[in-house]
PDB file of all heavy atoms in Angstrom:
ATOM      1  N   GLY C1299      44.590 -12.093  38.207  1.00  0.00           N
ATOM      2  CA  GLY C1299      45.228 -11.005  37.497  1.00  0.00           C
ATOM      3  C   GLY C1299      44.331 -10.088  36.697  1.00  0.00           C
ATOM      4  O   GLY C1299      44.559  -8.894  36.647  1.00  0.00           O
ATOM      5  N   VAL C1300      43.298 -10.628  36.066  1.00  0.00           N
ATOM      6  CA  VAL C1300      42.609  -9.854  35.041  1.00  0.00           C
ATOM      7  C   VAL C1300      41.401  -9.131  35.614  1.00  0.00           C
ATOM      8  O   VAL C1300      40.557  -9.736  36.283  1.00  0.00           O
ATOM      9  CB  VAL C1300      42.175 -10.776  33.886  1.00  0.00           C
ATOM     10  CG1 VAL C1300      41.569  -9.966  32.769  1.00  0.00           C
ATOM     11  CG2 VAL C1300      43.369 -11.553  33.373  1.00  0.00           C
ATOM     12  N   TYR C1301      41.302  -7.847  35.348  1.00  0.00           N
ATOM     13  CA  TYR C1301      40.122  -7.075  35.748  1.00  0.00           C
ATOM     14  C   TYR C1301      39.111  -7.124  34.627  1.00  0.00           C
ATOM     15  O   TYR C1301      39.385  -6.743  33.502  1.00  0.00           O
ATOM     16  CB  TYR C1301      40.507  -5.631  36.069  1.00  0.00           C
ATOM     17  CG  TYR C1301      39.329  -4.705  36.150  1.00  0.00           C
ATOM     18  CD1 TYR C1301      38.331  -4.923  37.102  1.00  0.00           C
ATOM     19  CD2 TYR C1301      39.181  -3.642  35.289  1.00  0.00           C
ATOM     20  CE1 TYR C1301      37.230  -4.095  37.175  1.00  0.00           C
ATOM     21  CE2 TYR C1301      38.087  -2.799  35.355  1.00  0.00           C
ATOM     22  CZ  TYR C1301      37.109  -3.039  36.298  1.00  0.00           C
ATOM     23  OH  TYR C1301      36.017  -2.236  36.363  1.00  0.00           O
ATOM     24  N   ASP C1302      37.920  -7.598  34.957  1.00  0.00           N
ATOM     25  CA  ASP C1302      36.854  -7.740  33.983  1.00  0.00           C
ATOM     26  C   ASP C1302      35.857  -6.609  34.241  1.00  0.00           C
ATOM     27  O   ASP C1302      35.102  -6.677  35.201  1.00  0.00           O
ATOM     28  CB  ASP C1302      36.204  -9.110  34.197  1.00  0.00           C
ATOM     29  CG  ASP C1302      35.479  -9.573  32.958  1.00  0.00           C
ATOM     30  OD1 ASP C1302      35.659  -8.928  31.913  1.00  0.00           O
ATOM     31  OD2 ASP C1302      34.733 -10.550  33.050  1.00  0.00           O
ATOM     32  N   GLY C1303      35.908  -5.572  33.419  1.00  0.00           N
ATOM     33  CA  GLY C1303      35.131  -4.379  33.710  1.00  0.00           C
ATOM     34  C   GLY C1303      33.634  -4.563  33.541  1.00  0.00           C
ATOM     35  O   GLY C1303      33.180  -5.328  32.701  1.00  0.00           O
ATOM     36  N   GLN C1304      32.864  -3.872  34.364  1.00  0.00           N
ATOM     37  CA  GLN C1304      31.417  -3.827  34.198  1.00  0.00           C
ATOM     38  C   GLN C1304      30.984  -2.375  34.252  1.00  0.00           C
ATOM     39  O   GLN C1304      31.598  -1.582  34.963  1.00  0.00           O
ATOM     40  CB  GLN C1304      30.721  -4.604  35.317  1.00  0.00           C
ATOM     41  CG  GLN C1304      30.757  -6.094  35.122  1.00  0.00           C
ATOM     42  CD  GLN C1304      30.004  -6.817  36.216  1.00  0.00           C
ATOM     43  OE1 GLN C1304      29.238  -6.226  36.965  1.00  0.00           O
ATOM     44  NE2 GLN C1304      30.251  -8.101  36.315  1.00  0.00           N
ATOM     45  N   VAL C1305      29.929  -2.067  33.518  1.00  0.00           N
ATOM     46  CA  VAL C1305      29.438  -0.697  33.513  1.00  0.00           C
ATOM     47  C   VAL C1305      29.005  -0.316  34.925  1.00  0.00           C
ATOM     48  O   VAL C1305      28.316  -1.083  35.600  1.00  0.00           O
ATOM     49  CB  VAL C1305      28.259  -0.562  32.523  1.00  0.00           C
ATOM     50  CG1 VAL C1305      27.625   0.810  32.648  1.00  0.00           C
ATOM     51  CG2 VAL C1305      28.739  -0.778  31.110  1.00  0.00           C
ATOM     52  N   GLY C1306      29.455   0.855  35.363  1.00  0.00           N
ATOM     53  CA  GLY C1306      29.085   1.316  36.692  1.00  0.00           C
ATOM     54  C   GLY C1306      30.135   1.080  37.755  1.00  0.00           C
ATOM     55  O   GLY C1306      30.006   1.567  38.865  1.00  0.00           O
ATOM     56  N   ASP C1307      31.179   0.347  37.419  1.00  0.00           N
ATOM     57  CA  ASP C1307      32.246   0.111  38.388  1.00  0.00           C
ATOM     58  C   ASP C1307      32.991   1.400  38.704  1.00  0.00           C
ATOM     59  O   ASP C1307      33.278   2.198  37.817  1.00  0.00           O
ATOM     60  CB  ASP C1307      33.293  -0.867  37.803  1.00  0.00           C
ATOM     61  CG  ASP C1307      32.838  -2.297  37.884  1.00  0.00           C
ATOM     62  OD1 ASP C1307      31.807  -2.538  38.527  1.00  0.00           O
ATOM     63  OD2 ASP C1307      33.514  -3.159  37.307  1.00  0.00           O
ATOM     64  N   LEU C1308      33.337   1.563  39.964  1.00  0.00           N
ATOM     65  CA  LEU C1308      34.232   2.649  40.336  1.00  0.00           C
ATOM     66  C   LEU C1308      35.660   2.149  40.176  1.00  0.00           C
ATOM     67  O   LEU C1308      36.021   1.103  40.721  1.00  0.00           O
ATOM     68  CB  LEU C1308      33.997   3.048  41.795  1.00  0.00           C
ATOM     69  CG  LEU C1308      35.059   3.976  42.362  1.00  0.00           C
ATOM     70  CD1 LEU C1308      34.886   5.372  41.820  1.00  0.00           C
ATOM     71  CD2 LEU C1308      35.008   3.992  43.868  1.00  0.00           C
ATOM     72  N   VAL C1309      36.451   2.852  39.401  1.00  0.00           N
ATOM     73  CA  VAL C1309      37.833   2.421  39.198  1.00  0.00           C
ATOM     74  C   VAL C1309      38.795   3.551  39.561  1.00  0.00           C
ATOM     75  O   VAL C1309      38.427   4.725  39.518  1.00  0.00           O
ATOM     76  CB  VAL C1309      38.093   1.963  37.740  1.00  0.00           C
ATOM     77  CG1 VAL C1309      37.338   0.702  37.440  1.00  0.00           C
ATOM     78  CG2 VAL C1309      37.747   3.057  36.762  1.00  0.00           C
ATOM     79  N   VAL C1310      39.994   3.159  39.919  1.00  0.00           N
ATOM     80  CA  VAL C1310      41.061   4.119  40.180  1.00  0.00           C
ATOM     81  C   VAL C1310      42.170   3.813  39.192  1.00  0.00           C
ATOM     82  O   VAL C1310      42.523   2.650  39.005  1.00  0.00           O
ATOM     83  CB  VAL C1310      41.569   3.983  41.628  1.00  0.00           C
ATOM     84  CG1 VAL C1310      42.794   4.842  41.853  1.00  0.00           C
ATOM     85  CG2 VAL C1310      40.487   4.342  42.618  1.00  0.00           C
ATOM     86  N   GLY C1311      42.671   4.824  38.526  1.00  0.00           N
ATOM     87  CA  GLY C1311      43.703   4.564  37.526  1.00  0.00           C
ATOM     88  C   GLY C1311      44.643   5.737  37.379  1.00  0.00           C
ATOM     89  O   GLY C1311      44.445   6.791  37.976  1.00  0.00           O
ATOM     90  N   GLN C1312      45.664   5.509  36.573  1.00  0.00           N
ATOM     91  CA  GLN C1312      46.682   6.530  36.369  1.00  0.00           C
ATOM     92  C   GLN C1312      46.678   6.958  34.907  1.00  0.00           C
ATOM     93  O   GLN C1312      46.667   6.105  34.020  1.00  0.00           O
ATOM     94  CB  GLN C1312      48.041   5.975  36.754  1.00  0.00           C
ATOM     95  CG  GLN C1312      49.109   7.034  36.831  1.00  0.00           C
ATOM     96  CD  GLN C1312      50.418   6.471  37.338  1.00  0.00           C
ATOM     97  OE1 GLN C1312      50.707   5.300  37.155  1.00  0.00           O
ATOM     98  NE2 GLN C1312      51.214   7.314  37.966  1.00  0.00           N
ATOM     99  N   VAL C1313      46.697   8.249  34.690  1.00  0.00           N
ATOM    100  CA  VAL C1313      46.711   8.762  33.323  1.00  0.00           C
ATOM    101  C   VAL C1313      48.079   8.473  32.711  1.00  0.00           C
ATOM    102  O   VAL C1313      49.108   8.784  33.306  1.00  0.00           O
ATOM    103  CB  VAL C1313      46.427  10.276  33.312  1.00  0.00           C
ATOM    104  CG1 VAL C1313      46.538  10.837  31.910  1.00  0.00           C
ATOM    105  CG2 VAL C1313      45.061  10.551  33.887  1.00  0.00           C
ATOM    106  N   THR C1314      48.063   7.826  31.533  1.00  0.00           N
ATOM    107  CA  THR C1314      49.345   7.497  30.914  1.00  0.00           C
ATOM    108  C   THR C1314      49.609   8.338  29.668  1.00  0.00           C
ATOM    109  O   THR C1314      50.745   8.468  29.260  1.00  0.00           O
ATOM    110  CB  THR C1314      49.414   6.016  30.501  1.00  0.00           C
ATOM    111  OG1 THR C1314      48.272   5.737  29.691  1.00  0.00           O
ATOM    112  CG2 THR C1314      49.390   5.127  31.707  1.00  0.00           C
TER     113      THR C1314
END
Side-chain angles (χ1 to χ4, degrees):
Chain C
V1300 185
Y1301 166 61
D1302 202 10
Q1304 282 183 15
V1305 172
D1307 281 352
L1308 168 75
V1309 293
V1310 172
Q1312 191 175 28
V1313 176
T1314 53

